[in-house]
Amino acid sequence: MAEETLVDYSLSNSDTLTKYKTAARIAHQVLETVTGWCVEGEKILAICERGDRLLDEEVGKVYKGKKISKGIAHPTTVSPNSFVTPYTPLASDPADAAVVLKPGEVVKIQLGAQIDGFGTIVGDTIVIASKENKDNEISGREADLLLATHYANELLLRLMIPPGLMSAGSEEEKKKAASEKPITQSKITQLLEKVVKSYDCNLVENTTSWVFERNEIEGKKKIVLAPSEGQKGEGVPEVGEAWGVEVGVSLGSGKVKTLENRPTLHRRTTTTYGLKRPSSRQILSEIVKKFGTFPFSLRQLDDERAAKVGVVECVRSNVVRQYEVIADKDGAAVSRLFTTIAITKNGLMLLSAPPSPDLTKLKTDKKITDPEILKILEQPISKSTGTKSKSKKKKKKPTKKAVEEESDESSEEE
């Protein structure tokens, strides 16, 4: 009898990293295209449908002939203004299907791809430009929101780095740095609150970053920002792990509420249960075959109307989880960024990350002045390996000068 071969799915296996990177390349490419579709007057439903078709097309071009699973790790979602959770309307819900993008709206875009169960998700926030605003300049509270989210994300990424990993100096100094206790999750929230409050914004409560595993985007570890009562994170980031890092910022209080909109985003759980209705069993079978344990929208199933009926028992029996539609309690605009990272011995590798905003087009008189925050933002997220690549040239760390001068420059121009 032949011995079963154990496959190494860790990040130390170059094949694993290659699959992550391939999925990330697809996610980046589709995000850029979908962002271009998000203009005044476009229907959100149409954008989501086109985005998923493009994800399927691009995934279909890689690993041809290989007996591995591949597909969408997160459906295309376009969430307007106060929506916190990813939003993906259905064609069979006329009111939601008719929603169009409006100028000045703060819109969150999120999507992802997976190769062999290694998923990468990316999310960005944009402001829908009006036809008159040809320069795409953003001012006022929307500029405050985007800047607060950008710098909060940059700070959180640096706080994800394990103690001592980026230390320089003698071996003794490195060991001493590595022996330091990891930063606590309460301290992470405190530091990020300093950033967003510099722009008169607040963190969205219970924004959660998860460790990623094969076929799992909500692993055993999590970091919960601004946790509400009864909520808390678990574990600390370590070398050899992939994480989905999320930041949510609000122009309101950051408190959230559940909307009456139909939940359309779902995900299979590991719970097993004998479903009674044939329609439910049929829907579950399709879910398992098409999506595995990755999130999906009901509109991606063959018969959307039948899916709306069949999924009810699946959710009630906890074999499928539904994501409630959550929004800012005050109805205020919300911004979100989502980055998939790999933690290596050389620091953070940004597998899929939102594009850096053009800070010269964000006009505000607010800025970060806290010395502790500015010092952390000065730190690199990875060590130089002596090789130059296009990706490294594109990714620049935010400098203290950039943070402090951005508002001064805008004031002079105005």
Side-chain angles (χ1 to χ4, degrees), residues 126-145:
I126 63 172
V127 175
I128 302 301
S130 64
K131 295 176 181 177
E132 293 76 24
N133 185 10
K134 296 180 181 179
D135 295 330
N136 291 324
E137 289 190 352
I138 300 171
S139 60
R141 295 298 284 145
E142 287 75 21
D144 293 337
L145 180 62

Side-chain angles (χ1 to χ4, degrees), residues 61-82:
K61 295 177 183 178
V62 300
Y63 286 88
K64 290 184 177 181
K66 303 288 185 180
K67 291 184 178 180
I68 60 173
S69 66
K70 57 181 181 177
I72 296 177
H74 192 286
T76 305
T77 58
V78 178
S79 311
N81 258 359
S82 64

Side-chain angles (χ1 to χ4, degrees), residues 13 83 98 101 145 155 167 191 215 228 241-242 254 272 291 326 341 368 374 389:
N13 184 345
F83 281 57
L101 297 177
L145 180 62
L155 186 72
S167 299
L191 291 173
N215 295 313
S228 60
E241 295 176 341
T272 56
F291 312 110
I326 306 295
I341 66 170
I368 299 170
L374 293 172
S389 65

Side-chain angles (χ1 to χ4, degrees), residues 6 16 35 113 153 167 207 227 270 286 316 352 395:
L6 294 178
T16 296
T35 301
N153 186 57
S167 299
T207 300
T270 56
E286 185 181 354
R316 189 186 303 126
S352 59
K395 186 65 184 177

Side-chain angles (χ1 to χ4, degrees), residues 297-311:
S297 168
L298 293 180
R299 61 179 168 74
Q300 294 175 282
L301 296 170
D302 291 341
D303 187 332
E304 184 179 293
R305 292 184 182 276
K308 289 160 70 173
V309 176
V311 80

Side-chain angles (χ1 to χ4, degrees), residues 100 111 242 262 286 393:
V100 299
L111 52 85
R262 177 196 302 276
E286 185 181 354
K393 288 181 180 178

